[in-house]
Amino acid sequence: MALKQKGTDAAAAADPKKRRRVGFSGIDVGVEANECMKVFIARNPDEVGSENSITLQPFDLNHFFGEDGKIYGYKNLKINVWISATSFHAYADISFEETSDGGKGITNLKPVLQNIFGENLVEKDEFSKTFSKECEYISVVTDGNVIKHDASTDKDSAVEIVRVELQGAAAFLYCRLVPLILLLVEGSTPIDITEHGWEMLLVVKKAEQASSNSNFLVLGFAAVHHFYHYPESTRLRISQILVLPPYQGEGHGLRLLETINSIAESENIYDVTIEDPSDYLQYIRSSIDCLRLLSFDPIKPALSSMVTSLKETNLSKRTSSLKMVPPSNLAETVRQKLKINKKQFLRCWEILIYLNLDAEYRKSMDNFRACIYDRIKGEILGTSTGTNGKRLVQMPSNFDEETCFAVYWTQEGGDADDQTVEQQPEDLKTQEQQLNEVVDSQMEEIVEVAKNVTSRGKDKLGDSCSVSC
């Protein structure tokens, strides 16, 4: 045997074509969770297992699966998760052809899914039974306080908003909703329900199907926190607000915000704030607040005066300056009466001015943009851009290379090498370009909110000063 092997080696050496070939198995590059995982919401048992169910659109599934967001060791992996629209239990169906360690191991899927869905994740048989069991948290709605208020939208008579303290059965319900918050709200984390001052506003609807395990459906919710404000008042902060995907686009988020504003006014809350709002939530919020402000008489004289100044002042050559800010006492009046905080009021103030300008009148619109430019420049660079070594520099970013920048400066009194760096012409050109991009972006936001306000509040716009939109 040894001689035969030796002869074979010798023959292989003599004939290069017969040399042994060494093969390497393919390296496992993994698959992104966003590509192989889908999440559905099921309203009845018949929808479980069907991809015709309502598909949720999580903002990002990859970040649940390690640093690179990939799953390793599976061939043709599919993860389908169904969430009950009534009990919020979850069931995960995992299928694949085979597993193999391609150098990165085999991802253990169970603890990752458990980390997302917690105790909500159950087996298929138990999941199917949840549609026929009575909800453990049914007392949340029956014992809660139904809020009545005048909304700006036509309300479905079957839809109610129920206010409950975030404890007991309500805390249990919130825990059931946490997976949806993690999946659908970017950057979200569960709130600490053990902290005093939390309450929840639920949008609920009476169930139409007699076979339902509950006489209501939860369509959405808002978690709000009351915290102390010196000396004898409280502030109301909206921490989380979510309308479930099957019921979005029906005005429920608008109802929640209007209800919160109504509570703040009736209970004389100091003001209302929102914790890190998304762009869309800020858009809805600004639209609501602008409509409220259009009917608020105390702002009308100052608004009319500001609009007149923009029409008559010539800012084209920058020989004169105009700050587009309301009188100092007006923001306090708005806070006291409407509970709109100062930062939000200043944002709405610019939108109200735009609504009262004629878009066809070039001079006033140029003046309006010039005021926006001056405000943004002051916020970024300060009022005196040639001092203290302030510089605006472009920064690399995976998000948007053309609109990402940073500001840095040195303090006075340092070493000679730490003093103000003189800006070169190319730096000033880049700075101007970036500032204009930020201004254009804010102008677009103002225009979008103004369009929404115009379409929803023509009666209120007609009563405001010199409106031409």
Side-chain angles (χ1 to χ4, degrees), residues 6 45 65 82 96 160 199 204 218 222 229 246 249 251 257 263 270 284 301 304-305 313 340 363 369 399 427 435 465:
K6 183 177 179 180
F65 292 84
W82 281 270
F96 50 88
E160 297 178 337
E199 64 179 14
V204 300
V218 176
H229 183 271
L257 289 174
I263 290 172
Y270 183 80
I284 296 297
S304 178
S305 175
T313 304
I340 300 174
K363 177 182 176 181
R369 190 185 188 283
F399 175 69
D427 293 334
L435 280 170
C465 59

Tab-separated table of all heavy atoms in Angstrom, residues 6 45 65 82 96 160 199 204 218 222 229 246 249 251 257 263 270 284 301 304-305 313 340 363 369 399 427 435 465:
chain	number	residue	atom	x	y	z
A	6	LYS	N	3.373	5.738	-2.988
A	6	LYS	CA	4.592	6.432	-3.402
A	6	LYS	C	4.663	6.545	-4.895
A	6	LYS	O	5.031	7.579	-5.460
A	6	LYS	CB	5.812	5.685	-2.851
A	6	LYS	CG	7.131	6.366	-3.170
A	6	LYS	CD	8.276	5.604	-2.526
A	6	LYS	CE	9.614	6.265	-2.855
A	6	LYS	NZ	10.740	5.537	-2.238
A	45	PRO	N	-57.678	33.951	13.491
A	45	PRO	CA	-56.840	32.745	13.319
A	45	PRO	C	-56.608	32.372	11.862
A	45	PRO	O	-55.583	31.776	11.536
A	45	PRO	CB	-57.646	31.662	14.051
A	45	PRO	CG	-58.526	32.394	14.993
A	45	PRO	CD	-58.857	33.686	14.332
A	65	PHE	N	-29.687	41.937	15.288
A	65	PHE	CA	-28.831	40.777	15.052
A	65	PHE	C	-27.355	41.172	14.991
A	65	PHE	O	-26.714	41.124	13.940
A	65	PHE	CB	-29.239	40.069	13.748
A	65	PHE	CG	-30.580	39.405	13.817
A	65	PHE	CD1	-31.739	40.130	13.578
A	65	PHE	CD2	-30.700	38.064	14.128
A	65	PHE	CE1	-32.981	39.523	13.645
A	65	PHE	CE2	-31.929	37.443	14.200
A	65	PHE	CZ	-33.083	38.178	13.963
A	82	TRP	N	-46.018	36.414	13.219
A	82	TRP	CA	-47.369	36.958	13.255
A	82	TRP	C	-47.666	37.493	14.651
A	82	TRP	O	-47.365	36.841	15.649
A	82	TRP	CB	-48.402	35.877	12.894
A	82	TRP	CG	-48.488	35.648	11.416
A	82	TRP	CD1	-49.304	36.270	10.524
A	82	TRP	CD2	-47.697	34.726	10.653
A	82	TRP	NE1	-49.072	35.794	9.251
A	82	TRP	CE2	-48.092	34.840	9.296
A	82	TRP	CE3	-46.691	33.805	10.979
A	82	TRP	CZ2	-47.540	34.089	8.291
A	82	TRP	CZ3	-46.132	33.063	9.972
A	82	TRP	CH2	-46.543	33.201	8.641
A	96	PHE	N	-35.913	26.677	6.854
A	96	PHE	CA	-34.652	26.739	6.114
A	96	PHE	C	-34.372	25.350	5.541
A	96	PHE	O	-34.954	24.349	5.977
A	96	PHE	CB	-33.497	27.187	7.024
A	96	PHE	CG	-33.403	26.421	8.314
A	96	PHE	CD1	-32.674	25.236	8.392
A	96	PHE	CD2	-34.050	26.873	9.463
A	96	PHE	CE1	-32.582	24.531	9.573
A	96	PHE	CE2	-33.972	26.173	10.652
A	96	PHE	CZ	-33.239	24.999	10.705
A	160	GLU	N	-63.127	55.509	20.701
A	160	GLU	CA	-63.030	56.300	21.924
A	160	GLU	C	-61.572	56.409	22.349
A	160	GLU	O	-60.741	55.593	21.956
A	160	GLU	CB	-63.837	55.653	23.060
A	160	GLU	CG	-65.322	55.574	22.816
A	160	GLU	CD	-66.057	54.884	23.954
A	160	GLU	OE1	-65.403	54.094	24.687
A	160	GLU	OE2	-67.255	55.133	24.108
A	199	GLU	N	-48.945	57.843	32.552
A	199	GLU	CA	-50.288	57.403	32.202
A	199	GLU	C	-50.343	57.126	30.707
A	199	GLU	O	-49.432	57.519	29.951
A	199	GLU	CB	-51.353	58.422	32.618
A	199	GLU	CG	-51.265	59.758	31.920
A	199	GLU	CD	-52.389	60.682	32.380
A	199	GLU	OE1	-53.034	60.380	33.396
A	199	GLU	OE2	-52.629	61.703	31.710
A	204	VAL	N	-59.352	53.172	21.274
A	204	VAL	CA	-60.013	51.866	21.218
A	204	VAL	C	-61.264	51.956	20.353
A	204	VAL	O	-61.874	53.026	20.205
A	204	VAL	CB	-60.376	51.351	22.625
A	204	VAL	CG1	-59.127	51.206	23.477
A	204	VAL	CG2	-61.371	52.273	23.305
A	218	VAL	N	-57.596	47.662	20.361
A	218	VAL	CA	-56.674	48.768	20.613
A	218	VAL	C	-56.088	49.205	19.276
A	218	VAL	O	-55.433	48.427	18.583
A	218	VAL	CB	-55.546	48.344	21.580
A	218	VAL	CG1	-54.548	49.485	21.742
A	218	VAL	CG2	-56.123	47.959	22.940
A	222	ALA	N	-50.756	56.507	23.424
A	222	ALA	CA	-49.705	57.482	23.736
A	222	ALA	C	-49.336	57.312	25.199
A	222	ALA	O	-50.206	57.196	26.057
A	222	ALA	CB	-50.183	58.908	23.474
A	229	HIS	N	-43.008	70.982	37.859
A	229	HIS	CA	-42.449	72.242	37.398
A	229	HIS	C	-42.601	73.273	38.511
A	229	HIS	O	-43.712	73.494	39.011
A	229	HIS	CB	-43.148	72.727	36.131
A	229	HIS	CG	-42.562	73.997	35.584
A	229	HIS	ND1	-42.997	75.256	35.976
A	229	HIS	CD2	-41.558	74.205	34.700
A	229	HIS	CE1	-42.297	76.177	35.342
A	229	HIS	NE2	-41.416	75.577	34.570
A	246	PRO	N	-52.469	48.622	10.916
A	246	PRO	CA	-53.747	48.422	10.218
A	246	PRO	C	-54.688	49.617	10.308
A	246	PRO	O	-55.627	49.723	9.522
A	246	PRO	CB	-54.351	47.201	10.931
A	246	PRO	CG	-53.218	46.513	11.580
A	246	PRO	CD	-52.259	47.600	11.956
A	249	GLY	N	-53.551	56.269	9.102
A	249	GLY	CA	-54.197	57.025	8.042
A	249	GLY	C	-55.663	57.316	8.304
A	249	GLY	O	-56.366	57.807	7.416
A	251	GLY	N	-56.670	59.108	11.141
A	251	GLY	CA	-56.769	60.273	12.014
A	251	GLY	C	-56.638	59.986	13.498
A	251	GLY	O	-56.887	60.863	14.328
A	257	LEU	N	-53.220	63.592	19.830
A	257	LEU	CA	-52.582	64.879	20.097
A	257	LEU	C	-53.601	65.917	20.535
A	257	LEU	O	-53.356	66.714	21.451
A	257	LEU	CB	-51.826	65.353	18.857
A	257	LEU	CG	-50.551	64.582	18.507
A	257	LEU	CD1	-49.990	65.059	17.174
A	257	LEU	CD2	-49.504	64.731	19.599
A	263	ILE	N	-56.455	67.999	27.536
A	263	ILE	CA	-56.155	67.695	28.940
A	263	ILE	C	-55.274	68.781	29.545
A	263	ILE	O	-55.500	69.239	30.670
A	263	ILE	CB	-55.464	66.322	29.045
A	263	ILE	CG1	-56.458	65.195	28.719
A	263	ILE	CG2	-54.863	66.115	30.435
A	263	ILE	CD1	-55.814	63.830	28.618
A	270	TYR	N	-48.538	73.182	32.802
A	270	TYR	CA	-47.640	74.291	32.448
A	270	TYR	C	-47.444	74.364	30.931
A	270	TYR	O	-47.632	75.415	30.319
A	270	TYR	CB	-46.295	74.116	33.150
A	270	TYR	CG	-45.329	75.257	32.908
A	270	TYR	CD1	-45.436	76.439	33.630
A	270	TYR	CD2	-44.327	75.145	31.947
A	270	TYR	CE1	-44.569	77.500	33.396
A	270	TYR	CE2	-43.452	76.192	31.714
A	270	TYR	CZ	-43.574	77.373	32.432
A	270	TYR	OH	-42.724	78.413	32.195
A	284	ILE	N	-47.313	66.731	12.001
A	284	ILE	CA	-48.694	66.704	12.476
A	284	ILE	C	-48.882	67.673	13.644
A	284	ILE	O	-49.866	68.425	13.700
A	284	ILE	CB	-49.097	65.278	12.896
A	284	ILE	CG1	-49.062	64.333	11.696
A	284	ILE	CG2	-50.476	65.281	13.545
A	284	ILE	CD1	-50.040	64.680	10.609
A	301	PRO	N	-52.489	90.945	16.190
A	301	PRO	CA	-51.840	92.243	15.921
A	301	PRO	C	-50.348	92.107	15.616
A	301	PRO	O	-49.841	92.736	14.678
A	301	PRO	CB	-52.077	93.026	17.221
A	301	PRO	CG	-53.285	92.400	17.824
A	301	PRO	CD	-53.192	90.952	17.496
A	304	SER	N	-49.876	90.513	12.181
A	304	SER	CA	-50.162	91.469	11.107
A	304	SER	C	-49.017	92.460	10.926
A	304	SER	O	-48.619	92.786	9.806
A	304	SER	CB	-51.452	92.216	11.424
A	304	SER	OG	-51.741	93.175	10.436
A	305	SER	N	-48.450	92.922	12.033
A	305	SER	CA	-47.328	93.876	11.969
A	305	SER	C	-46.103	93.236	11.329
A	305	SER	O	-45.398	93.867	10.527
A	305	SER	CB	-47.002	94.369	13.375
A	305	SER	OG	-45.868	95.203	13.369
A	313	THR	N	-40.187	96.058	3.862
A	313	THR	CA	-38.745	96.190	4.080
A	313	THR	C	-37.979	95.624	2.898
A	313	THR	O	-38.376	94.617	2.302
A	313	THR	CB	-38.328	95.444	5.361
A	313	THR	OG1	-39.100	95.939	6.457
A	313	THR	CG2	-36.849	95.652	5.655
A	340	ILE	N	-48.646	75.653	24.609
A	340	ILE	CA	-47.619	75.395	23.600
A	340	ILE	C	-46.304	75.950	24.122
A	340	ILE	O	-46.212	77.142	24.454
A	340	ILE	CB	-47.978	76.066	22.260
A	340	ILE	CG1	-49.315	75.522	21.736
A	340	ILE	CG2	-46.871	75.867	21.233
A	340	ILE	CD1	-49.822	76.236	20.492
A	363	LYS	N	-40.865	89.914	-3.459
A	363	LYS	CA	-40.110	90.683	-2.474
A	363	LYS	C	-40.343	90.153	-1.065
A	363	LYS	O	-39.396	89.931	-0.303
A	363	LYS	CB	-40.496	92.159	-2.567
A	363	LYS	CG	-39.815	93.036	-1.519
A	363	LYS	CD	-40.289	94.476	-1.632
A	363	LYS	CE	-39.698	95.351	-0.536
A	363	LYS	NZ	-40.179	96.747	-0.615
A	369	ARG	N	-37.329	84.415	3.372
A	369	ARG	CA	-36.210	83.461	3.304
A	369	ARG	C	-34.949	84.059	3.911
A	369	ARG	O	-34.172	83.367	4.574
A	369	ARG	CB	-35.946	83.045	1.857
A	369	ARG	CG	-34.955	81.875	1.744
A	369	ARG	CD	-34.620	81.567	0.297
A	369	ARG	NE	-33.844	80.346	0.213
A	369	ARG	CZ	-32.555	80.235	0.495
A	369	ARG	NH1	-31.881	81.319	0.911
A	369	ARG	NH2	-31.925	79.072	0.391
A	399	PHE	N	-24.955	59.093	5.841
A	399	PHE	CA	-26.326	59.552	5.660
A	399	PHE	C	-26.437	60.475	4.439
A	399	PHE	O	-27.138	60.187	3.496
A	399	PHE	CB	-26.804	60.268	6.915
A	399	PHE	CG	-28.157	60.886	6.772
A	399	PHE	CD1	-29.273	60.084	6.656
A	399	PHE	CD2	-28.303	62.256	6.739
A	399	PHE	CE1	-30.527	60.644	6.515
A	399	PHE	CE2	-29.559	62.819	6.596
A	399	PHE	CZ	-30.663	62.014	6.485
A	427	ASP	N	-13.408	77.945	1.775
A	427	ASP	CA	-14.142	77.582	2.986
A	427	ASP	C	-15.442	78.367	3.092
A	427	ASP	O	-16.488	77.826	3.450
A	427	ASP	CB	-13.295	77.842	4.232
A	427	ASP	CG	-12.083	76.921	4.304
A	427	ASP	OD1	-12.157	75.830	3.727
A	427	ASP	OD2	-11.086	77.313	4.933
A	435	LEU	N	-25.083	76.261	4.318
A	435	LEU	CA	-26.123	77.023	4.997
A	435	LEU	C	-27.381	77.123	4.136
A	435	LEU	O	-28.507	76.977	4.625
A	435	LEU	CB	-25.614	78.420	5.345
A	435	LEU	CG	-24.740	78.544	6.599
A	435	LEU	CD1	-24.126	79.936	6.672
A	435	LEU	CD2	-25.552	78.264	7.857
A	465	CYS	N	-55.164	87.465	9.534
A	465	CYS	CA	-54.840	88.742	8.912
A	465	CYS	C	-54.253	88.569	7.515
A	465	CYS	O	-53.303	87.844	7.316
A	465	CYS	CB	-53.854	89.498	9.788
A	465	CYS	SG	-52.300	88.623	10.094
